[in-house]
Amino acid sequence: ALGEIKRLNDGPVQVYVYDNNVAFVQAAVSLVVRLIDGEFPAYNKVIPTDNPGSIGFAGRDLLDSVDRVRQVAASKSAGIKLEASGNEITLVAESKTGSARDIVVAEINGEALQIAVSAAFLSDAISSLGDDVCAKYKTDREPLILFPLDYGRFSERLEVVMPMRL
């Protein structure tokens, strides 16, 4: 519903809540959404907490790099490889038509990491987090946990990007 309101983007939005409905009113458009009553799953239980490695980077730099390398990928959701070591992240995309490689400066604490992820999922996660981003990791078979570097102030804000096989 929020995505639809954002798409319409016809000025300020008034929000009305009543019973199990929420109404979003914008100029000449009204959108009414029914709220679902129920228990939200205990998602915290599936997010790994023991992640000894971390990578700090500028979100915009990595986002631009992902966009550049995925141009050679077969589709927008195709996988890309991230290789983090030393003080850089190397992104690699390969397809039948060629390959692309790009490097982003990063601060890496922990063991080197080589992981494949969906370019689209990684882009979505990074673009929602802001300027300075941290990724925590354990192995190449476990998810990347991404959050803004000011995570201490916004502890509920994080993104999980699952690894994939290429």
Side-chain angles (χ1 to χ4, degrees):
L2 292 175
E4 189 65 22
I5 290 294
K6 182 179 177 184
R7 187 183 67 79
L8 295 172
N9 195 15
D10 195 21
V13 177
Q14 294 177 324
V15 180
Y16 302 96
V17 180
Y18 55 95
D19 295 330
N20 64 339
N21 296 297
V22 175
F24 300 94
V25 179
Q26 255 189 349
V29 177
S30 296
L31 176 66
V32 178
V33 179
R34 184 187 325 148
L35 300 174
I36 299 173
D37 188 22
E39 292 277 324
F40 198 76
Y43 65 89
N44 286 339
K45 291 183 179 178
V46 298
I47 298 174
T49 56
D50 178 27
N51 301 302
S54 69
I55 307 167
F57 55 90
R60 174 52 51 197
D61 291 349
L62 192 63
L63 189 60
D64 290 345
S65 183
V66 170
D67 286 342
R68 282 190 294 270
V69 299
R70 80 174 176 182
Q71 297 301 315
V72 301
S75 69
K76 281 192 167 193
S77 61
I80 60 172
K81 295 178 193 172
L82 272 71
E83 300 169 359
S85 64
N87 62 350
E88 62 189 31
I89 303 169
T90 304
L91 289 90
V92 179
E94 298 175 343
S95 70
K96 293 178 183 176
T97 58
S99 65
R101 177 185 220 79
D102 202 21
I103 296 174
V104 174
V105 174
E107 183 178 323
I108 300 167
N109 296 305
E111 305 229 355
L113 175 69
Q114 292 186 7
I115 190 169
V117 296
S118 162
F121 291 164
L122 183 61
S123 287
D124 289 347
I126 294 169
S127 63
S128 73
L129 293 174
D131 295 333
D132 295 318
V133 178
C134 182
K136 296 286 237 168
Y137 63 92
K138 188 171 187 177
T139 70
D140 63 347
R141 294 178 304 279
E142 298 189 43
L144 287 174
I145 311 301
L146 294 106
F147 52 88
L149 280 179
D150 58 2
Y151 189 63
R153 293 190 359 236
F154 306 102
S155 60
E156 61 279 341
R157 185 70 188 117
L158 59 86
E159 298 283 340
V160 178
V161 177
M162 299 300 291
M164 63 186 298
R165 289 182 189 219
L166 294 182

